[in-house]
Amino acid sequence: MQNLFTAMLSFSLFALISGILLAIATRFFKVEGDPIVEKIDALLPQTQCGQCGFPGCKPYATAVAEERAEVNHCIPGGERTMLAIADLMGVEPKEIEEGPTAPMVAFIREDECIGCTLCIKSCPVDAIVGAPKQYHTIIAKDCTGCTLCLEPCPVDCIDMLIKPELLEHWAWPLPGSNRAELGHERKEQHHA
Amino acid sequence: MLKSLRSLFQPKVTGIYPEKHKLTATAAIAEAPLSSHYILPLKQHIGEICTPLVRVGDRVLKGQKIAKSQGYLSAAIHAPTSGIITKIGEHAITHPSGLSMESIFIEADGNDQWDTTLATLQDWKQLEPSILRERVRLSGIAGLGGAVFPTFIKLLQDKNHPIESVILNGAECEPYLTNDHRLMVEHSEEIVLGLQMILHMVKANTAIIAIEDNKPDAIACFQRIITAQELHHIEVKSLPSSYPQGSEKQLIEFLTKKQVPAGKLPLHIGLICQNVGTTKAIHDAILWGKPLIERVVTVSGDAMPNPGNMRVRLGTPIDQLLAWHGLENMDGCHLIHGGPMMGERLGHAHAPVVKATNAVLAFLPQTMMAAHKEESPCIRCGDCSQVCPASLTPNLLADLCRQDQFEKVADYHLFDCIECGCCSYVCPSHIPLVHYFRYGKGQLATIKREKAFADESRQRSSAKEARIQREKEAKEAAAAKRKQARAATAPVTPPTQPTEGQS
Amino acid sequence: MILLSSPHIHGGNSIRKVMFSVILSLIPATLFSVYLFGWLSFLIIVSCMGAALVSEWGCLRLMKRPIAPMFDGSAALTGLLIALTLPALTPWWMTILAAMFAIILSKQIYGGLGYNPFNPALSARVILLISFPLQMTSWITPMSVDHLLNLYDFSIASQLFFFGVQSLNTSLDAITMATPLGHVKTALSQGISVPDALAHYPYHWLDAFIGNEGGSIGESSALALLLGGLFLLGKGVIRWQIPCSFLITVALLSLISSLIAPNQFAPPLFHLMAGGLMLCAFFMATDPVSSPVTHKGQLIFGIGCGLITWSIRNFGGYPEGAMFAVMLMNCAVPLIDHYTRPRVYGRAAS
């Protein structure tokens, strides 16, 4: 019986000392501020497209940080962004409902443009140039493909085009298990 | 067995000893006939794309500059023959993706008439290095060993890094390839002269001609010239025929026992390397005023009816080149652009010969299938680490790439991989290690680019927000002012229109 | 078109070639085991290899994977290696259990070839030793041609294999003997000094080099194992780092200890020849999957194996510790690999 008490006493003491140490540690190594919003924001693609249901990337990042939003709402970011956020937040990854989309870029059919500047106002990244009563045009290299300019256009002269694949942006895909198909490919060539 | 016993006593043997298959080692360089048309992609080098100097319908002369460098890191393009520009537009190139590139199409007129505006520089010994270098730049010369780095940049003098020695790279370690070998045997005098021009340009004192010991005839040629002309500052060195002996950094390490520090160039340790083909091109440009419009190409492989070496104009369609060697129907074989270790599979046989084309190989399907078997799991045998010339641990690196662990990949020095292919070559599990590394490098580049784009977008969006905020404040201030003014019944001033545009 | 990355030629090495070279290199030891223990060896080897192959097939079928890996030789090799580490008196069900354990619980459950942290053959052997200590430490006297226990008679051998010693109307003690290591260990615990103990062992301890002593069927002959090991070294299938550092560490430690206290510690040659050291050093520790990739790491791995083997043999409860040593070092492989990466070309040592 005495053994039991000794054990209980020593463990309680140990727990108490550890607790005090922890308390001291939190006081001395306290992290100032909460950089998690910035960290999430840095992971987001900054299209400011609002497809997540929030009015931009930063608001979504804040929502995720405050656990008001799931990690899987960023459509343009795709799986990689979702995994990175899930990893950062320490939550289970969730599947993105909409499938991966090809990167898009907006294009104005200039001969139909009436120069109303509404699209310019709606562009979150200032990628549309033009003045009232002048043709507007989209700076393709700065366009994030957010589609926010489509709705305001009164004459529907903006198209979303698939971004052309650039030679210098081409990257090797993951090696597939299709190497065994080498023989089949040859047969197909023969038939063709 | 003997070889591996030897390796017991040499703890670190890098590289491999593949079967060399030098089918065309004794085949003299043939002159290619004139093709009916030529296609010149606007980028045949490492660096920035060129801009065309000609328009459709223009008549050009052989050697006339038809596209100029746009940036600094670039190499101009010249017409391979005289003729008419028929089209400027996209055409398939020798890229593994099968994507196409803006190209200039020339219909040959058959006269093959030279443009003689480029003077010959017979008195190069008296000329300033900068003049010679400018000639090299204007001639569009890029490294013909396969890397196609614009050559004039390599010949620049850096005050802080004087060049002590020039290494002439005649290793040609890739199996099947014999274009450099034949060039060395048939044009050794020009190459030695070109080497002296390089020495003059970089003000170096000594030179080493490095040749693998499986080309004794080339070694003998150079030795004869050097003894005859008493060129005591040039030394011919025979190298073991391992692969990748001809890789610049590995060659330097073998010859000088020095390593080029990571992220630095050979010039930082007082050396430059030039390929023999490039050296011949430098000679031709300076002494004969001939820009780079042709190169020697090895046409070989086990599916090639008549393998050989040929001096081919840049822009020649590859199917035309293959037809000259008896290969008309390409369905039954696989085409490789370059050597079997580092070359890429050709998507389109009608892609043209470019400055990087050191060989076109045709392989039988069974050869190709034996090399590209289905991948098995890694058994961690360590053969890949054993042969890696960059001393990486390829199997661990490939695991990281496969699992998309790109943060760790930098720690394992993925970008120090030279993609020589030794690891894939020895892998008993047939793991396409190089493919994994390329995937990893591509993904890292994509991530970096997307990150940069996102950062830029973030800046633009916050700038816009700030501007809207400012405009709103200005409007409010103006309204307040107006109100105040009205209250004071002073004359009303029109509110100032906030300026539109980026702030 | 299928994207194929360079290189477009291959050296021709394959997993199958690697595995079959190892099997080939084990032929001397296998033949010698048959010479020592007759049909009994043969039965153990066949049942182990057969069970390993069947387990592999079953696992691949269950996991709905292609069954091609069954023929890459790895399962056959695991079976053979288990068999060679078993005592000649192992009953049939135990051989099958060992092979099943090796393939199912020590290899396939981790994802199959290439993913197992431990050498499957070794872990199976260790599990048997812990679960069935009596059977696993009963060593039959080799080359028995007794009319009751003629191991070269197939019917007697198979009776022993399938129905046990009892079926032959003889007791275990009558037909078994101690291994050299066990003999010395027992002697030391009874207060007999090492030189005395060795003098009273029925065989000269140098016989162990040729292999005329009790022990597992495949570990008796250091010579046969050495031949196989040299073959593998020559073929480049294994590298010198692990076996050399392993053996040299054991030799050095036992040399020093036997010089300091010759009555407590056996001499280095005895340690090198006895027990499963040779088998472990050349065939178990060098298993590529569960050993380090880098040369430096392999040296550390070998030294660690040697140190632990020597410690267990001299201070531990078991007479033989080579298997435990290799398994313990297997645990450390990811760590060793991480810290022993070679210096990359053109970079300072990290």
Side-chain angles (χ1 to χ4, degrees):
Chain A
M1 207 52 182
Q2 202 196 343
N3 278 349
L4 185 70
F5 278 118
T6 335
M8 278 169 71
L9 197 71
S10 54
F11 269 98
S12 314
L13 255 174
F14 179 71
L16 189 72
I17 293 168
S18 314
I20 292 170
L21 277 176
L22 272 176
I24 293 171
T26 44
R27 167 112 1 142
F28 279 93
F29 303 107
K30 195 178 170 186
V31 183
E32 288 300 329
D34 187 11
I36 194 92
V37 176
E38 258 72 56
K39 278 189 190 159
I40 298 172
D41 193 41
L43 296 172
L44 295 172
Q46 304 301 324
T47 51
Q48 316 294 350
C49 61
Q51 286 181 72
C52 50
F54 292 89
C57 293
K58 190 77 177 272
Y60 177 54
T62 319
V64 172
E66 290 166 3
E67 290 175 25
R68 285 186 288 116
E70 297 282 3
V71 293
N72 61 343
H73 291 324
C74 183
I75 311 283
E79 196 189 354
R80 184 180 287 154
T81 303
M82 183 274 295
L83 287 174
I85 299 174
D87 189 43
L88 187 70
M89 294 294 293
V91 297
E92 280 292 308
K94 287 191 89 170
E95 214 165 297
I96 300 172
E97 275 139 35
E98 283 174 54
T101 46
M104 304 291 254
V105 61
F107 174 77
I108 296 178
R109 294 191 301 273
E110 289 179 3
D111 45 346
E112 291 172 40
C113 174
I114 53 167
C116 67
T117 75
L118 286 176
C119 58
I120 297 182
K121 291 199 182 98
S122 71
C123 179
V125 291
D126 273 341
I128 307 180
V129 289
K133 309 278 183 229
Q134 307 276 318
Y135 292 150
H136 301 343
T137 192
I138 286 169
I139 310 169
K141 108 179 153 48
D142 290 332
C143 175
T144 59
C146 67
T147 71
L148 289 179
C149 52
L150 295 188
E151 212 212 325
C153 181
V155 292
D156 276 343
C157 71
I158 306 180
D159 292 328
M160 295 307 292
L161 307 177
I162 292 177
K163 248 186 188 172
E165 196 177 7
L166 290 174
L167 194 61
E168 57 267 34
H169 291 178
W170 183 81
W172 282 87
L174 195 65
S177 54
N178 56 3
R179 291 201 291 172
E181 290 164 22
L182 209 57
H184 300 295
E185 181 195 315
R186 197 171 62 84
K187 269 179 217 143
E188 279 161 24
Q189 268 179 6
H190 269 294
H191 293 306
Chain B
M1 180 104 173
L2 206 72
K3 200 185 284 166
S4 35
L5 272 180
R6 199 175 58 204
S7 74
L8 285 182
F9 303 101
Q10 299 171 327
K12 183 73 185 164
V13 186
T14 58
I16 51 172
Y17 296 84
E19 260 191 73
K20 288 287 183 173
H21 296 288
K22 304 274 191 187
L23 311 175
T24 50
T26 52
I29 300 171
E31 291 294 335
L34 203 61
S35 170
S36 64
H37 65 289
Y38 292 91
I39 304 137
L40 293 134
L42 287 173
K43 192 180 130 180
Q44 304 186 13
H45 50 265
I46 285 189
E48 285 149 273
I49 194 163
C50 293
T51 14
L53 291 172
V54 288
R55 272 179 300 187
V56 174
D58 286 359
R59 182 162 192 277
V60 291
L61 294 176
K62 181 181 183 183
Q64 181 183 334
K65 200 201 256 189
I66 54 170
K68 67 168 183 186
S69 337
Q70 212 171 16
Y72 175 67
L73 187 64
S74 192
I77 293 159
H78 302 78
T81 186
S82 59
I84 308 288
I85 309 288
T86 52
K87 186 181 155 192
I88 297 175
E90 300 268 309
H91 191 268
I93 53 163
T94 58
H95 192 268
S97 67
L99 290 171
S100 47
M101 185 189 266
E102 194 84 346
S103 309
I104 299 176
F105 294 68
I106 298 178
E107 190 81 49
D109 60 10
N111 299 334
D112 214 18
Q113 186 189 350
W114 269 102
D115 172 21
T116 47
T117 46
L118 218 54
T120 59
L121 302 175
Q122 300 286 350
D123 55 344
W124 60 271
K125 270 183 193 159
Q126 276 73 49
L127 292 174
E128 273 296 304
S130 58
I131 296 171
L132 300 184
R133 212 153 39 227
E134 185 58 14
R135 168 55 59 89
V136 172
R137 194 179 74 85
L138 286 178
S139 304
I141 298 173
L144 297 182
V148 282
F149 187 80
T151 301
F152 78 97
I153 295 174
K154 271 180 141 183
L155 300 173
L156 286 175
Q157 281 176 36
D158 184 339
K159 275 198 201 83
N160 303 323
H161 302 285
I163 302 293
E164 291 158 23
S165 194
V166 175
I167 295 171
L168 188 62
N169 186 351
E172 196 164 58
C173 51
E174 278 252 19
Y176 290 96
L177 267 56
T178 56
N179 53 319
D180 282 352
H181 180 188
R182 288 315 302 173
L183 205 64
M184 289 192 284
V185 172
E186 293 175 33
H187 300 277
S188 31
E189 295 208 13
E190 285 115 295
I191 291 169
V192 172
L193 212 52
L195 179 59
Q196 287 169 284
M197 292 172 185
I198 295 172
L199 285 173
H200 177 64
M201 277 187 266
V202 299
K203 293 217 164 72
N205 298 322
T206 57
I208 302 169
I209 303 178
I211 304 171
E212 281 193 350
D213 56 14
N214 60 0
K215 308 179 214 1
D217 44 352
I219 296 174
C221 281
F222 282 117
Q223 235 136 21
R224 203 174 50 240
I225 294 170
I226 281 160
T227 343
Q229 303 185 6
E230 295 185 355
L231 301 167
H232 301 302
H233 56 295
I234 301 178
E235 188 188 355
V236 181
K237 269 200 180 159
S238 151
L239 315 167
S241 357
S242 71
Y243 175 90
Q245 190 66 268
S247 163
E248 188 171 79
K249 289 183 168 179
Q250 277 61 41
L251 184 63
I252 287 173
E253 186 182 21
F254 183 83
L255 290 173
T256 65
K257 308 280 169 267
K258 282 190 270 188
Q259 290 193 342
V260 183
K264 294 276 166 76
L265 296 170
L267 79 94
H268 293 114
I269 54 169
L271 298 167
I272 64 163
C273 262
Q274 288 293 357
N275 167 267
V276 287
T278 320
T279 310
K280 167 79 164 61
I282 291 173
H283 165 272
D284 293 356
I286 290 175
L287 207 61
W288 299 340
K290 248 178 83 177
L292 183 65
I293 56 162
E294 58 187 13
R295 66 157 299 147
V296 181
V297 179
T298 298
V299 183
S300 186
D302 54 12
M304 193 67 73
N306 310 312
N309 302 296
M310 193 176 247
R311 185 170 289 109
V312 187
R313 311 279 172 96
L314 302 177
T316 310
I318 285 174
D319 43 9
Q320 172 75 78
L321 173 65
L322 294 176
W324 287 332
H325 289 86
L327 190 70
E328 303 268 3
N329 179 12
M330 280 142 242
D331 285 351
C333 60
H334 295 270
L335 300 180
I336 309 285
H337 177 257
M341 292 300 291
M342 289 189 75
E344 291 310 341
R345 201 162 162 226
L346 257 183
H348 312 276
H350 50 284
V353 168
V354 287
K355 291 174 187 175
T357 311
N358 46 14
V360 179
L361 308 177
F363 282 131
L364 294 170
Q366 54 264 40
T367 319
M368 200 71 171
M369 277 193 273
H372 296 278
K373 280 195 187 137
E374 193 72 17
E375 155 182 9
S376 312
C378 171
I379 56 164
R380 296 169 36 87
C381 65
D383 284 356
C384 49
S385 318
Q386 172 105 349
V387 297
C388 179
S391 302
L392 300 166
T393 34
N395 64 324
L396 302 181
L397 207 47
D399 277 347
L400 294 177
C401 287
R402 191 185 290 124
Q403 299 154 1
D404 285 357
Q405 298 198 2
F406 299 120
E407 318 86 61
K408 278 197 193 158
V409 152
D411 186 35
Y412 280 74
H413 304 298
L414 173 62
F415 283 93
D416 288 17
C417 166
I418 56 168
E419 301 181 11
C420 64
C422 289
C423 49
S424 309
Y425 180 86
V426 297
C427 181
S429 300
H430 281 266
I431 298 171
L433 291 142
V434 176
H435 197 152
Y436 280 111
F437 302 151
R438 287 176 165 168
Y439 164 74
K441 287 177 180 178
Q443 290 302 304
L444 275 170
T446 310
I447 291 171
K448 201 174 158 191
R449 201 178 57 241
E450 281 172 2
K451 177 94 175 56
F453 184 63
D455 286 345
E456 207 185 304
S457 303
R458 186 184 295 112
Q459 267 175 14
R460 299 177 75 86
S461 123
S462 53
K464 172 155 184 167
E465 265 168 40
R467 196 185 68 231
I468 290 169
Q469 185 67 27
R470 252 196 332 278
E471 281 169 10
K472 211 170 117 193
E473 277 166 19
K475 245 178 217 163
E476 276 166 12
K481 223 176 187 175
R482 261 199 317 267
K483 215 172 173 185
Q484 215 174 17
R486 241 198 322 267
T489 60
V492 179
T493 46
T496 46
Q497 186 69 34
T499 45
E500 186 75 28
Q502 237 184 291
S503 42
Chain C
M1 193 175 81
I2 297 159
L3 268 170
L4 293 170
S5 166
S6 61
H8 303 290
I9 47 175
H10 190 271
N13 198 7
S14 66
I15 294 182
R16 193 180 298 201
K17 276 189 188 167
V18 170
M19 294 300 165
F20 281 107
S21 326
V22 182
I23 292 178
L24 206 64
S25 71
L26 281 168
I27 283 181
T30 310
L31 289 181
F32 198 82
S33 80
V34 175
Y35 162 72
L36 284 183
F37 301 105
W39 286 107
L40 215 43
S41 273
F42 175 81
L43 287 169
I44 291 174
I45 291 167
V46 167
S47 86
C48 271
M49 287 176 83
L53 283 168
V54 170
S55 313
E56 177 105 338
W57 176 81
C59 281
L60 291 170
R61 278 304 295 271
L62 262 179
M63 295 191 289
K64 298 194 171 59
R65 290 191 176 186
I67 55 159
M70 200 186 138
F71 306 105
D72 64 13
S74 65
L77 174 62
T78 301
L80 180 59
L81 276 172
I82 302 171
L84 294 183
T85 59
L86 293 177
L89 278 177
T90 316
W92 65 274
W93 54 273
M94 227 186 266
T95 61
I96 290 170
L97 198 69
M100 281 173 66
F101 182 86
I103 297 295
I104 301 169
L105 285 181
S106 188
K107 178 178 162 191
Q108 290 295 350
I109 223 164
Y110 291 103
L113 181 66
Y115 298 102
N116 45 301
F118 301 105
N119 182 331
L122 258 190
S123 41
R125 166 68 220 248
V126 166
I127 285 294
L128 282 199
L129 178 61
I130 293 168
S131 314
F132 311 101
L134 179 67
Q135 286 92 329
M136 281 297 119
T137 48
S138 306
W139 313 102
I140 196 165
T141 315
M143 288 195 284
S144 176
V145 283
D146 198 291
H147 69 284
L148 260 181
L149 196 75
N150 186 354
L151 296 175
Y152 304 101
D153 181 331
F154 184 74
S155 59
I156 292 182
S158 51
Q159 203 176 354
L160 200 55
F161 183 63
F162 290 108
F163 305 106
V165 182
Q166 297 79 4
S167 67
L168 289 175
N169 298 320
T170 175
S171 78
L172 207 54
D173 289 340
I175 57 167
T176 59
M177 64 181 293
T179 64
L181 282 169
H183 178 73
V184 168
K185 192 123 210 163
T186 323
L188 275 172
S189 67
Q190 292 163 348
I192 307 167
S193 75
V194 171
D196 287 349
L198 288 177
H200 287 100
Y201 191 65
Y203 296 97
H204 186 269
W205 56 266
L206 265 178
D207 279 352
F209 182 64
I210 308 297
N212 299 321
E213 93 282 26
S216 303
I217 62 170
E219 68 182 29
S220 311
S221 169
L223 179 66
L225 292 166
L226 207 58
L227 277 176
L230 286 178
F231 170 77
L232 286 184
L233 277 174
K235 284 274 280 182
V237 174
I238 62 172
R239 282 184 260 287
W240 62 268
Q241 276 87 349
I242 291 176
C244 285
S245 60
F246 193 167
L247 295 176
I248 288 172
T249 308
V250 171
L252 265 182
L253 286 172
S254 43
L255 177 69
I256 294 166
S257 56
S258 68
L259 282 180
I260 294 170
N263 285 342
Q264 257 94 58
F265 296 100
L269 269 177
F270 170 78
H271 271 300
L272 286 183
M273 299 310 148
L277 181 63
M278 283 289 168
L279 187 66
C280 276
F282 283 107
F283 298 95
M284 298 291 192
T286 56
D287 168 29
V289 177
S290 51
S291 66
V293 174
T294 62
H295 292 163
K296 222 193 297 171
Q298 290 171 346
L299 283 176
I300 294 171
F301 181 83
I303 290 170
C305 288
L307 194 69
I308 299 172
T309 304
W310 177 82
S311 307
I312 295 177
R313 279 185 178 186
N314 288 301
F315 310 111
Y318 286 98
E320 172 59 305
M323 300 169 309
F324 293 107
V326 174
M327 279 193 75
L328 281 171
M329 288 310 289
N330 282 165
C331 304
V333 164
L335 193 73
I336 295 175
D337 262 345
H338 183 80
Y339 285 106
T340 55
R341 279 176 287 150
R343 187 184 66 82
V344 172
Y345 180 101
R347 285 187 185 273
S350 52

